[in-house]
């Protein structure tokens, strides 16, 4: 019997994770990625709660833990480098209500690619140009000119998803600008304490340094902007310029950070924008991860939503086949966590907008009551439904290969 065919757009987190489960569900999977190779870069992303269960069920826990970023917690200093507050890892885990493994986004992407490359056909340097669907399948034309028919298309191509634009409508119809910009750069600056992330704030702007072993480290810039800024998403020079402009005349180690920003090979910049859609499916096209429900880097939940969404989408397709009811069940299972995470942004902690806000944040985090309040407020990790994948025996867990 021929396997149903699925085309996934995007080879970051949601795409390869969905593919990993779909091959176990008996689908023939192709992934098209517009970049010419896997995209490296990005800061640490958090794998927590149900996402840890997804990684465990893939058999990737050991590999993820091997590559985990060693983190001790967050420190908050003033522009004179005097510490105002610190929260250790245990305190942060109490705040988010779950154990948490942090891994560089590029490392997680590479692990998921390695876990799927033998079973999935990867096509780099191309992307979907048009989609024409009928009741039996979907005809896709690629930018390269190639044409192919598939049974299902999955958009896992991030915040600026082309699949969403082509199949559902313009980006502006589904996105909400959350008034901040975020930049991440890999660079080693001798700032703060080893394995701690040190934040320095001025109203509406936040500069942070994660200090690791020599040769490694991460810098993060976040700033408030009342209006969306105008720039082209491929114009990295313009994006660097915007960060520079936003951080002019800020002291602390910011001038050195801005110099490192110019020299760094990996640089990621985007607005804090959320994707909110009433439906993630249209006929034989469905969205997963940031393409469907980006919560923004200030949620700390991008990887969590991508991994759980991938598992639920593939699990429902395994149970119900390519049918509207399966896609509806995926949405029903994934909606509650999306709703929760989109409502929990950390901008109040990471980028207070006034001096009083910064002082109040420092007082709150330094208070012994914080842990108690956080535990009371936080969402506890919920058990993740266990799906059955008919071809699972053909593709053993990665820790059993
Ligand atoms: C380079 C990079 C750096 C990032 N850094 C951070 C960070 O520091 N902190 C943070 O919180 N989040 C970061 N993110 C976002 C984070 O990866 C996601 O929030 C989360 O992991 C969900 O992943 P996703 O796979 O749904 O989307 P994404 O990780 O955004 O991946 C989308 C993928 O689709 C590809 N793509 C886009 N358009 C097309 C197209 N037309 N055709 C084919 N492929 C396409 C992209 O190249 C990318 O590989 C970063 C994303 C990228 C791509």
């Amino acid at each position: 019997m021929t396997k149903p065919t699925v085309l996934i757009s995007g080879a970051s987190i949601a795409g390869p994770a969905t593919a990993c489960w779909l091959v176990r569900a008996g689908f023939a999977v192709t992934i098209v990625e517009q970049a010419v190779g896997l995209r490296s870069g990005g800061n640490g992303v958090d794998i927590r709660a149900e996402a840890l269960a997804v990684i465990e069920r893939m058999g990737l826990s050991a590999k993820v833990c091997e590559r985990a970023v060693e983190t001790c917690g967050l420190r908050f200093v003033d522009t004179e480098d005097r510490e105002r507050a610190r929260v250790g890892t245990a305190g942060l885990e109490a705040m988010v209500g779950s154990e948490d493994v942090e891994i560089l986004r590029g490392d997680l992407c590479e692990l998921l690619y390695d876990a799927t490359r033998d079973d999935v056909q990867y096509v780099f340097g191309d992307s979907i140009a048009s989609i024409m669907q009928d009741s039996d399948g979907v005809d896709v034309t690629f930018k390269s000119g190639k044409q192919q028919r598939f049974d299902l298309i999955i958009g896992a191509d991030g915040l600026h998803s082309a699949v969403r634009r082509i199949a559902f409508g313009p980006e502006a119809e589904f996105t909400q600008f959350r008034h901040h910009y975020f930049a991440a750069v890999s660079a080693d600056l001798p700032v703060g304490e080893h394995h701690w992330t040190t934040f320095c704030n001025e109203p509406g702007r936040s500069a942070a340094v994660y200090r690791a072993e020599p040769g490694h480290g991460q810098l993060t810039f976040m700033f408030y902007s009342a209006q969306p800024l105008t720039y082209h998403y491929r114009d990295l020079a313009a994006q660097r310029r915007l960060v520079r402009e936003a951080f002019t005349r800020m002291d602390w180690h910011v001038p050195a950070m801005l110099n490192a920003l110019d020299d760094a090979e990996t640089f990621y910049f985007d607005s804090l924008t959320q994707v909110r859609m009433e439906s993630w499916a249209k006929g034989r096209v469905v969205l997963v991860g940031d393409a469907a429900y980006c919560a923004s880097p200030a949620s700390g939940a991008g990887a969590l939503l991508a991994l759980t969404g991938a598992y639920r989408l593939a699990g429902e397709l395994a149970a119900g086949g390519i049918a509207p009811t399966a896609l509806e069940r995926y949405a029903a299972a994934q909606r509650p966590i999306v709703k929760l995470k989109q409502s929990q942004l950390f901008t109040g902690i990471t980028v207070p907008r006034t001096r009083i806000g910064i002082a109040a944040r420092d007082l709150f985090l330094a208070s012994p009551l914080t842990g108690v309040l956080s535990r009371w407020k936080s969402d506890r990790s919920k058990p993740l439904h266990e799906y059955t994948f008919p071809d699972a025996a053909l593709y053993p867990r990665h820790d059993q290969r």
Side-chain angles (χ1 to χ4, degrees), residues 277-309:
M277 305 179 75
E278 275 174 22
S279 171
W280 300 323
K282 198 164 204 179
R284 289 171 174 267
V285 180
V286 61
L287 303 174
V288 65
D290 275 10
Y293 30 77
C294 179
S296 90
S299 69
L304 166 74
L305 296 180
L307 290 167
T308 52

Side-chain angles (χ1 to χ4, degrees), residues 3-6 21-29 119 152 314 317-318 321-322 391 395:
K3 293 181 169 191
T5 53
V6 179
W21 292 109
L22 282 180
V23 292
R24 283 159 183 71
F27 291 83
V29 184
D119 313 318
L152 180 73
L317 289 167
I322 300 172
D391 283 1
Y395 304 93

Side-chain angles (χ1 to χ4, degrees), residues 9-10 12-14 33-34 39 42-43 105 127 157-158 162 268 289-290 297:
S9 174
S12 176
I13 311 301
E33 162 63 48
Q34 70 176 3
R39 292 181 64 186
N43 269 356
R105 190 210 67 92
S127 68
D157 42 3
Y268 172 77
D290 275 10

